[in-house]
Amino acid sequence: MDNKLDWDPELQAYRVDLDAVEYVSTSVAVVRSVAALDDTPPTALDPLQESVDPDALDELLSGENASERRVGFRYQGYEITVVGTGEIRLSPESDRDTISVS
């Protein structure tokens, strides 16, 4: 995957537009994005399923009302937000809740 991680100063997060990158699934895109930010191979990271269900994450962008969905979780020192419009946001961890769904 050719990660196109853009820093958004307003969000204080890196952004990945899933329409602009070649990816297998949302969960794979999350792992590859974190690996790119950390300059490490994806296989060196903890399994994603220790933070969130990858199958459920992949289903986020499918079905009716997908654009209204949003899931947030922590992974490898980042707060990850996957937005149903096809965007991943990655920001350094803070003290917020571990998982949120809206």
Side-chain angles (χ1 to χ4, degrees), residues 55-98:
D55 294 330
L57 187 60
D58 293 341
E59 290 296 317
L60 175 71
L61 301 180
S62 65
E64 289 186 39
N65 303 319
S67 64
E68 298 173 14
R69 297 181 187 146
R70 178 181 305 247
V71 173
F73 58 95
R74 291 179 180 185
Y75 178 61
Q76 292 293 135
Y78 293 93
E79 290 185 19
I80 312 290
T81 303
V82 178
V83 183
T85 56
E87 180 179 88
I88 300 171
R89 299 175 186 164
L90 305 98
S91 58
E93 238 177 25
S94 72
D95 293 329
R96 291 189 232 162
D97 293 333
T98 302

Side-chain angles (χ1 to χ4, degrees), residues 43-61:
T43 55
L45 300 176
D46 292 336
L48 183 62
Q49 62 264 24
E50 291 180 7
S51 297
V52 69
D53 181 332
D55 294 330
L57 187 60
D58 293 341
E59 290 296 317
L60 175 71
L61 301 180

Side-chain angles (χ1 to χ4, degrees), residues 11-26:
L11 293 172
Q12 291 293 296
Y14 290 95
R15 295 176 56 202
V16 177
D17 179 357
L18 294 176
D19 292 332
V21 297
E22 189 175 313
Y23 69 100
V24 176
S25 64
T26 303

